[in-house]
Amino acid sequence: MVKAKTGDTVKIHFTGKMQDDTVVETSKDRGPLEFKIGEGNVISGLEQGIIGMQVGDKKTLTISPENAFGLPREELMVDLSKDELPEGIKVAAGVHLNIQASDGQTFKVKVVDVKEDTVTLDANHPLAGVTLIFDVELIEIV
């Protein structure tokens, strides 16, 4: 039987969760996820875990942060003066904001601390530093 390898386009069903069983994402509600192994369109730990599977195989993958969304990066933690925030924005720890960079790109940040004159923002991926558990089933090698 054919085994999935780098360069193959595959279709999988998956449920990704954190170690406390909180589901992060699943394909069960929307149909299988299709991607080409090796193109980097999904986290590397998921790509690597699919290699060697045959159609119909199911497996559970434990994916370290380094092979998922990375470790939190200190340079993505930014202290801003409250004066730099748009007027009318209410900030509190735990709130997510969409921020527009000087190049026009918009990205999501989390407010992690609010002081009298400053706000600390975290632009790391929300799952940075998190070990993920993926239940996967290889549906098809296209």
Side-chain angles (χ1 to χ4, degrees):
M1 197 150 215
V2 177
K3 294 183 179 185
K5 64 188 178 311
T6 300
D8 286 343
T9 297
V10 296
K11 290 184 181 181
I12 64 167
H13 268 303
F14 72 93
T15 297
K17 49 192 172 181
M18 295 187 282
Q19 290 179 304
D20 67 1
D21 284 334
T22 301
V23 173
V24 175
E25 189 174 2
T26 184
S27 66
K28 297 294 182 188
D29 301 339
R30 64 176 189 267
L33 171 67
E34 182 176 327
F35 63 95
K36 188 172 186 175
I37 298 173
E39 286 193 342
N41 293 321
V42 299
I43 58 175
S44 65
L46 182 57
E47 278 190 329
Q48 292 304 309
I50 300 299
I51 293 173
M53 289 180 70
Q54 298 176 355
V55 172
D57 284 354
K58 294 179 182 182
K59 95 169 39 167
T60 298
L61 306 169
T62 299
I63 303 174
S64 69
E66 296 86 353
N67 292 311
F69 294 97
L71 296 171
R73 295 178 17 212
E74 193 63 37
E75 66 269 19
L76 295 179
M77 301 285 288
V78 179
D79 289 321
L80 284 182
S81 167
K82 285 184 178 177
D83 296 340
E84 295 179 72
L85 296 173
E87 276 190 50
I89 289 190
K90 300 199 190 263
V91 293
V95 170
H96 288 88
L97 302 172
N98 289 319
I99 300 291
Q100 187 169 15
S102 57
D103 65 1
Q105 186 177 11
T106 301
F107 55 97
K108 188 174 270 195
V109 297
K110 180 179 179 182
V111 177
V112 292
D113 192 24
V114 179
K115 295 185 176 145
E116 189 173 327
D117 296 323
T118 62
V119 176
T120 303
L121 303 176
D122 181 356
N124 282 288
H125 189 283
L127 295 173
V130 176
T131 296
L132 298 173
I133 314 292
F134 272 79
D135 294 320
V136 297
E137 177 182 5
L138 183 58
I139 303 297
E140 181 181 354
I141 299 174
V142 181

